[in-house]
Amino acid sequence: MRYFTKQQGQKEAVPVDLESQGQGRYRLTLNGKTFQVDALSLEHGSLSLLVDGQSYNIEFEENGDEIGTLVRGQVNRTDVADERRLRMRAAAGGFTVEGRQVILAPMPGKVVKVLVKVGDEVTEGQGLVVVEAMKMENELKSPKAGKVTEVFAKEGTPVENNAKLVVVE
């Protein structure tokens, strides 16, 4: 999965490719360099990472698309978006989303919470489903105001990449 990250002070977003190797192992490519990462979830939502033999304990704080990390006593704030979200941001000023919108799982994970039910009226940007992937919770939001017509997501169940979660019309 490709993400784009932009830390405070950076002019442009940097692509980051992340590929699951199974059992908490990932291949991460950043600035043309590939790293092998072993991830282990710790208490209180923090992670223990082994990156090419170097150990890191990381604490996270999410605020929308911005993620705050505490690594070795240093706090970093990073804006993170996948390719779809980046395109949506770029296009947001030019048009609004219309018609039937199917919200898909952005990566394999587990449904932690379903925030809506069939028949609910939602606003643009309202949270619909929370999916945990790579030990992080991601709230998937409605791309438009409308009515929830279908809910496929069930709390506690695993989902594959691009699995249908919710439909908003």
Side-chain angles (χ1 to χ4, degrees):
M1 180 93 182
R2 175 164 276 190
Y3 294 91
F4 293 87
T5 65
K6 185 175 177 184
Q7 291 190 348
Q8 288 178 335
Q10 280 184 320
K11 291 184 180 182
E12 293 193 24
V14 175
V16 177
D17 293 309
L18 191 63
E19 180 183 341
S20 175
Q21 305 292 298
Q23 299 181 340
R25 294 189 172 139
Y26 301 88
R27 178 180 297 136
L28 183 137
T29 304
L30 172 67
N31 292 327
K33 185 166 183 198
T34 300
F35 302 90
Q36 294 302 315
V37 179
D38 288 308
L40 177 65
S41 180
L42 302 174
E43 292 183 31
H44 311 296
S46 59
L47 282 178
S48 174
L49 298 180
L50 192 58
V51 181
D52 286 344
Q54 292 283 340
S55 179
Y56 300 89
N57 286 327
I58 302 175
E59 294 183 33
F60 293 94
E61 176 185 271
E62 290 185 61
N63 185 10
D65 289 339
E66 185 180 84
I67 297 174
T69 57
L70 175 63
V71 182
R72 294 186 174 168
Q74 184 175 349
V75 175
N76 295 295
R77 298 233 173 262
T78 306
D79 181 61
V80 179
D82 61 17
E83 290 179 280
R84 182 176 142 253
R85 183 167 284 160
L86 200 62
R87 285 193 306 268
M88 287 176 64
R89 284 182 190 171
F95 67 94
T96 58
V97 176
E98 293 184 16
R100 183 175 195 258
Q101 298 296 308
V102 180
I103 289 62
L104 305 174
M107 66 182 72
K110 181 174 106 176
V111 176
V112 176
K113 189 175 255 184
V114 178
L115 304 171
V116 295
K117 62 186 180 309
V118 173
D120 284 356
E121 293 288 333
V122 295
T123 59
E124 182 177 338
Q126 180 178 336
L128 303 172
V129 176
V130 178
V131 176
E132 180 184 279
M134 298 174 3
K135 311 300 180 200
M136 294 180 62
E137 290 187 358
N138 302 290
E139 184 178 70
L140 304 179
K141 299 179 181 186
S142 181
K144 64 174 245 168
K147 187 176 190 174
V148 175
T149 58
E150 294 179 80
V151 176
F152 301 99
K154 291 186 174 57
E155 288 184 16
T157 60
V159 292
E160 293 297 319
N161 187 35
N162 291 323
K164 290 182 184 177
L165 300 174
V166 177
V167 175
V168 176
E169 291 192 44

